[in-house]
Amino acid sequence: MVRSTKDVWSLLTSITTIIIVVQTVLYEIKRISEQFIPKQVRERILWIVNSLVNIGFGVTTLSIDEFDDYLGNEIYNASATYLSTIITPSSCQNLKVFMNTNFKRTTKGSEKNMMSLTLENGEKIRDVFNGSIVVVWEFIATTSTSPLKNGSSKSIMNRTFKLSFKKKYLENVVGVGGYLSYVLEKAKAINEERKVVQLFYKLHDDYHYTDGNPWLGIDFDHPSTFQTLAMDEGVKEELILDLERFLDRKEFYKSVGKAWKRGYLLYGPPGTGKSSLIAAMANYLKFDIYDLQLSTIRKDSNLRNLLLSTSNRSILVVEDIDCSTTTNSDQRLCMQPTNYSRNYNDKNELTLSGLLNFIDGLWSNCGDERIIVFTTNHKERLDPALLRPGRMDMHINMSYCTYSAFKTLALNYLHIQNHYLFQQIQNKINQVNVTPAEVAEELMRTHQDDVDQALQRLLLTLNSKPTSSSSNN
């Protein structure tokens, strides 16, 4: 028994000595490697070692790089968005905080700070999929240098997510309907909720762009929504249904061989809300707006390059199309060129036929989920080629103010849904031509608490107008 005890103590002493020696050797290796081996090389070696260890334990690790040959990786971006929603101070020790300077306006008009947490370099976070599949995310950031033509070099940040899980769950992670598909869908929904709609505009062709993008964008913080839009309720409901049907029919458009796009023509007198309707459509769909000013484009090739640089899920707007077109599709557009375009020796070669080719010709298939909106005050002046189905699929008459549109304005400006003067206003508004903009201006002239005075002023305005030949419905 004594001998046995001595043997145990001898064994423990030997093990302790070995541990001390190993620790000393590892410390020396670490010290020497830090002096002579670059950090990114050390990190790569460490990952190789970890991978070899993981193979022994049946663990698979996927690398999700931010870029691949300068092309952005959609899965990386989706992963970053998704992880920002599951990170909590209790799940990780080292975090970074980010707040978007933009804000999302809610239906009540309040501002919501877009603050999110992201992983620090080397930090890990655990997630569970389908109740039993455990995955571990790790964020890795390294720097490398790239030589420049002038002999200098620039630093490049390389960002990667490492996703580790048991090998037997590979199909559950990367397969159809698996974990990564789930991450992509969740990220898409999150981005749609967070998105701030952008309004893009183009400067003339003399302007030189440093990033190759001919569009300049600003945040589009227009308050118009379908709830506040003063237009005929029946037309409004029909338009909303048409937009929702368009969004849900990606596979249908593909199956029938048509580009996934939709064209709308908004026509009617000034002040009937055409621009407000476009803003409401953009806010409802969360689509960016591209304001296409044909007077800033010299020829068809410029228009082609411009339209190819627009993004998916966007609305292309050409306002007052009747002021830019002629009655002959072979003639040029923009009959009144801007001052800068007169400085060119070559004539303006932007033609209506060229524009039509980009609407429903071969080039119309370069992009998905696009909406094209033309506006005009004079529909009768348009070339019939613009109006056929497939180009302008839905024609929306932005008529003079109807009674239902007036009730929307009364709710917006006076916060009322009924009043003893409503019947008189309904009778007059069906007999005269008054635009929603005129009605809104009258309701704004008086303090919203003085409802009687506001409605009486509106009645005076309606009574001063001549009776129209056709009444509003």
Side-chain angles (χ1 to χ4, degrees):
M1 183 71 179
V2 174
R3 183 186 179 101
S4 184
T5 302
K6 288 181 179 180
D7 289 341
V8 171
W9 278 110
S10 177
L11 178 60
L12 290 176
T13 302
S14 300
I15 293 174
T16 304
T17 302
I18 292 173
I19 292 174
I20 294 174
V21 172
V22 170
Q23 287 179 336
T24 303
V25 172
L26 291 176
Y27 175 80
E28 288 300 319
I29 292 174
K30 179 181 178 183
R31 184 180 62 82
I32 294 173
S33 65
E34 289 177 349
Q35 291 180 352
F36 299 102
I37 302 177
K39 181 180 178 182
Q40 56 266 32
V41 176
R42 298 199 311 270
E43 291 175 343
R44 180 59 59 184
I45 293 173
L46 181 61
W47 270 110
I48 292 174
V49 173
N50 287 338
S51 299
L52 292 174
V53 173
N54 288 338
I55 290 174
F57 288 96
V59 174
T60 295
T61 299
L62 302 180
S63 294
I64 305 174
D65 297 327
E66 183 178 12
F67 294 100
D68 181 14
D69 291 334
Y70 300 101
L71 296 177
N73 186 350
E74 182 181 353
I75 299 180
Y76 177 92
N77 296 330
S79 300
T81 300
Y82 172 73
L83 290 177
S84 69
T85 64
I86 67 171
I87 293 174
T88 62
S90 60
S91 63
C92 303
Q93 291 182 343
N94 301 311
L95 299 173
K96 293 186 292 186
V97 63
F98 171 78
M99 186 178 74
N100 193 342
T101 55
N102 299 320
F103 60 85
K104 169 179 171 290
R105 188 178 295 277
T106 64
T107 54
K108 295 182 179 180
S110 61
E111 296 180 6
K112 177 182 177 181
N113 292 330
M114 302 306 295
M115 186 178 296
S116 60
L117 298 174
T118 58
L119 297 175
E120 267 286 9
N121 190 17
E123 191 64 59
K124 296 181 180 181
I125 186 171
R126 180 178 177 271
D127 194 20
V128 179
F129 178 59
N130 281 348
S132 61
I133 301 175
V134 178
V135 298
V136 177
W137 291 89
E138 182 173 5
F139 175 66
I140 300 295
T142 60
T143 56
S144 60
T145 57
S146 176
L148 300 177
K149 291 182 179 181
N150 59 8
S152 61
S153 62
K154 65 177 181 178
S155 296
I156 300 176
M157 178 65 72
N158 304 302
R159 300 179 180 88
T160 301
F161 284 115
K162 298 289 186 177
L163 180 60
S164 300
F165 50 89
K166 289 185 177 181
K167 185 182 297 185
K168 64 179 181 179
Y169 293 133
L170 179 62
E171 185 63 26
N172 301 91
V173 173
V174 301
V176 177
Y179 180 66
L180 288 181
S181 297
Y182 166 78
V183 169
L184 287 169
E185 288 298 320
K186 290 289 290 185
K188 180 180 178 181
I190 294 166
N191 286 329
E192 288 179 357
E193 181 182 358
R194 291 178 175 178
K195 181 177 179 179
V196 176
V197 174
Q198 295 278 300
L199 172 62
F200 291 92
Y201 63 97
K202 174 193 173 293
L203 294 183
H204 59 71
D205 293 333
D206 286 343
Y207 189 86
H208 297 287
Y209 300 89
T210 57
D211 59 358
N213 188 353
W215 295 98
L216 300 178
I218 58 173
D219 291 345
F220 185 69
D221 187 26
H222 197 292
S224 180
T225 65
F226 281 120
Q227 287 73 29
T228 62
L229 190 64
M231 64 181 295
D232 183 80
E233 287 298 323
V235 176
K236 185 190 300 185
E237 292 176 5
E238 183 182 0
L239 174 58
I240 293 174
L241 289 175
D242 191 78
L243 290 172
E244 292 177 346
R245 188 185 307 116
F246 167 73
L247 293 180
D248 293 337
R249 302 184 84 181
K250 178 179 180 179
E251 295 303 322
F252 171 78
Y253 276 87
K254 183 178 180 180
S255 66
V256 298
K258 292 190 63 174
W260 192 16
K261 65 178 182 61
R262 192 75 173 158
Y264 297 91
L265 175 67
L266 312 184
Y267 66 96
T272 52
K274 292 186 285 293
S275 296
S276 295
L277 175 55
I278 295 172
M281 292 170 64
N283 288 330
Y284 183 78
L285 300 172
K286 290 296 182 71
F287 279 20
D288 292 329
I289 299 175
Y290 288 86
D291 183 19
L292 182 62
Q293 298 289 334
L294 294 180
S295 61
T296 65
I297 306 171
R298 290 191 294 127
K299 49 189 177 181
D300 291 345
S301 59
N302 297 132
L303 177 63
R304 180 187 65 230
N305 295 334
L306 194 63
L307 296 183
L308 288 176
S309 61
T310 60
S311 64
N312 294 340
R313 297 180 60 82
S314 62
I315 301 175
L316 179 69
V317 178
V318 183
E319 294 193 283
D320 299 323
I321 185 63
D322 56 290
C323 298
S324 300
T325 62
T326 64
T327 57
N328 188 334
S329 62
D330 292 328
Q331 294 180 9
R332 68 190 185 195
L333 301 183
C334 308
M335 297 303 291
Q336 299 295 327
T338 55
N339 290 331
Y340 79 84
S341 65
R342 294 192 181 99
N343 296 330
Y344 291 96
N345 294 325
D346 59 333
K347 67 178 183 179
N348 190 327
E349 296 178 350
L350 177 63
T351 62
L352 176 57
S353 60
L355 177 62
L356 296 179
N357 185 47
F358 302 127
I359 294 177
D360 69 348
L362 291 175
W363 291 100
S364 66
N365 291 280
C366 298
D368 276 337
E369 215 167 354
R370 307 284 185 90
I371 288 177
I372 303 172
V373 177
F374 285 168
T375 73
T376 179
N377 297 333
H378 306 282
K379 181 182 179 182
E380 68 280 1
R381 297 180 184 176
L382 297 183
D383 191 305
L386 272 172
L387 303 179
R388 78 179 196 189
R391 290 172 178 168
M392 293 297 104
D393 303 289
M394 188 174 184
H395 298 186
I396 301 175
N397 181 13
M398 304 299 292
S399 65
Y400 288 105
C401 191
T402 62
Y403 179 62
S404 63
F406 157 73
K407 293 189 69 174
T408 299
L409 291 172
L411 181 62
N412 293 343
Y413 289 92
L414 304 178
H415 306 300
I416 60 171
Q417 294 181 312
N418 204 357
H419 192 274
Y420 72 91
L421 292 176
F422 272 20
Q423 185 62 52
Q424 298 181 49
I425 292 175
Q426 180 179 10
N427 294 336
K428 290 302 300 181
I429 215 167
N430 288 334
Q431 298 173 8
V432 301
N433 288 336
V434 59
T435 66
E438 292 177 286
V439 174
E441 181 61 27
E442 291 300 328
L443 298 182
M444 289 180 65
R445 288 175 180 268
T446 309
H447 194 277
Q448 66 181 25
D449 291 337
D450 199 341
V451 174
D452 290 353
Q453 184 179 356
L455 296 179
Q456 288 168 0
R457 288 181 63 92
L458 176 60
L459 269 175
L460 289 175
T461 299
L462 295 176
N463 288 326
S464 67
K465 288 182 170 293
T467 303
S468 63
S469 57
S470 61
S471 61
N472 296 320
N473 296 323

